[in-house]
Amino acid sequence: MEKHKPLVRNMPQLLHGGDYNPDQWMDRPDILAEDIRLMKLAGVNAVSLGIFAWSVLEPEEGRYEFGFFDSVIDNLYQNGIRVLLATPSGARPAWMAQKYPEVLRVMPDRQRILFAHRHNHCYTSPVYREKVRAVNTALAEHYKDHPALIAWHVSNEYGGECHCELCQQAFRAWLKEKYHGDLDLLNRQWWTPFWSHIYTSWDQIESPTPPDGRGEAYLHGLTLDWKRFVTHQTIDFMNNETAPLRAITPGIPVTTNFMDFYEGLDYSKFKDALDFISWDSYPAWHDTARSNYMTACRTALMHDSMRSYLHKPFILMESTPSAVNWKEINKPKRPNMHKTASLQAIAHGSDSVMYFQWRKGRGASEKFHGAVVDHVGHEHTRVFGDVAQVGECLKKLECVRGAVTNSDVALIYDHENHMALKEAQGFQKSDKKYIDTLVNYYYPFWKNGVSVDVIDSGYDFSGYKVLVMPMLYMIKEGVEERIAQFVANGGTAIMTYLSGMVNENDLCHLGGFPCGTLKDAFGVWAEEVDTLCPDERNAVSYGGQSYEVRDYCEIVHAQGAKTLATYEHDFYQGGGAVFENDYQGGKAYYIACRDTGALTQALCEKVIADTAPARTPRADLPVGVVCTMREDAENKYVFVQNYTDEIQFATFEDTRAVDMETNLPAGSEIELDSFGVRVLRFPKD
Ligand code: GLA
Ligand code: ZN
């Protein structure tokens, strides 16, 4: 179990730092000097620099000004702080928008935007691509030998779509390639005889618009292909901007920062174009709509998904030291939460804790967004103290950097499936709760210290013991066979209602759901779906207990499977609700209804008991306390986190743990402050 190599060049430390915008303070050398003093106090060792600095780097077309950043970077380096240097394509200078309007995005209503905001360029425009390439080339040439440079932070949070004529042409070309120039094939896959939509020429095809917009919204094949094209074109844009970086600085790794379950892009397709994954995490701690414990669960799932794209540690690129500014209610983190939330990222595979932002700006829309340094300007704030504490702690956790996460369980999060479910008209039309359902199925594993990889349905399943596939509505070519093979080879699979219904172009599979051989593997045929009204409930009996169910009750026939649970009410009373099927060497469970949590938990805990996946050392944990583990050849690093606002205790069977912050034996009973965290090192036997 070898540790992974450092993600960034020449830096075997956990990174601690964040977005630094000295270009907002060019007239305040005193503040820039103070930044260095404060960064050292806070234990900062790396910053992301120049993310929105294009108008400073290239104040006039073709005139590059690196002098200011030279002095900033030299100064950082002399003080032991390294740089993830950004390419500035996330926001363009005004002169460019004025001279070349084609760089500005066209909205779905076919109106071009004005010069405004950020993250809103046309990703097809040859002019924009050329300008980005030129500035990136200049940056790479200028900084290629600078020892401060440890990684490229490419652009910022790519996202959105452009509907200009250039993008339409590129879309049509992409379609021609996908459908091998065969328009009939496209017509069949998009089901265009519906509402007389048969295309007779490629240039009749237009990008879709929202349902109340001017354009098409009801050919789901078109909408899905458009979304795929947007991902493709964004990656193509990114490759255009990374080409000079790769050529000029081959030793400097490249990343771009992802966002949560962002619907606009399929991140699973980016993995081959990046050296490591990074992401921006902003959980809604202390929101009364959800317990911190469940917020932690959802965040853990996100971290796991980021780790799973490349199966290696990732970088937490942004998080807030206190509040954000863009939620409806923006709450600062309560005492201890900053450390707990930061170490949660490390626990799930991050090799960093980075922030947006280092210092609060004076003006514009992010002036009240949390930052390490507040407007008061000094270090004597609660937030600065919290950050400095994390800085100290990360130094003591140094040996966790590169440690691996060993998962025997895979949960499928498939972006295209997500988008198809969203589009599907039927069932619960506007919110089918795919993400909530993923959280529901992730929870029992997370709660029990079982590590989970979160993967796309195109990924290899063969190394796992358990495959969990909630609402896998879209079964793409080859996936059906790979799931059946996984079970045949001895794996345990869990599938739910609304699964195996459509192919990758959203055409329904014929012959009964779930499609094809899945009916054999799971031993069921799902005939109908009863969609419940929001206030309606049914119940199922399982193992002598009654469990409340809601939203979906599928009416399913066992075709070889054993019925484990039955419906208690309605015309399908007594019918099967949960099925277990022995299929060749493995087991397949089909869960036909959505429960309120307890049934999923009971079933997943049965699977954990039967399959014995890798998990943290045994412990007695109260509700609200969770253990997560990374490991290397010698040690298990166990993060014990309390997401309640009360003091809690966790008791471990293995008494050999050392507390990594104090370096003292931890004993078997661990005390946790409210929102407290302890990191324990267990020797491997
Ligand atoms: C995003 C962006 C940052 C900043 C933060 C605010 O993650 O990348 O530039 O706007 O949000 O939370
Ligand atoms: Zn465009």
Side-chain angles (χ1 to χ4, degrees), residues 105 123 157-162 223-235 259-270 413 415-416 418-419 422:
R105 196 165 276 185
Y123 39 69
E157 295 189 339
Y158 284 118
E161 45 188 58
C162 174
T223 308
L224 287 171
D225 273 343
W226 169 251
K227 287 178 188 294
R228 290 186 178 111
F229 164 76
V230 170
T231 289
H232 163 88
Q233 199 69 349
T234 304
I235 294 173
M259 301 171 266
D260 210 270
F261 283 116
Y262 174 60
E263 294 183 2
L265 292 170
D266 182 353
Y267 288 142
S268 72
K269 302 281 191 307
F270 280 69
Y413 163 68
H415 185 267
E416 293 182 348
H418 187 189
M419 294 306 103
K422 247 188 100 109

Side-chain angles (χ1 to χ4, degrees), residues 19 34 134 166 188 223 228 275 335 401 685:
D19 283 23
E34 184 66 352
L166 293 166
R188 284 194 301 278
T223 308
R228 290 186 178 111
D275 296 311
R401 189 216 54 76
D685 11 57

Side-chain angles (χ1 to χ4, degrees), residues 13 42 112 154 189 200 265 270 401-402 414 499 627 658 671:
Q13 283 96 31
R112 199 177 289 280
V154 177
Q189 288 295 311
T200 53
L265 292 170
F270 280 69
R401 189 216 54 76
D414 189 296
S499 285
C627 283
V658 170
E671 182 177 336

Side-chain angles (χ1 to χ4, degrees), residues 370-391:
V372 182
V373 184
D374 213 327
H375 295 124
V376 70
H378 57 58
E379 67 271 38
H380 307 293
T381 61
R382 186 178 72 90
V383 169
F384 191 95
D386 283 356
V387 168
Q389 187 192 26
V390 168

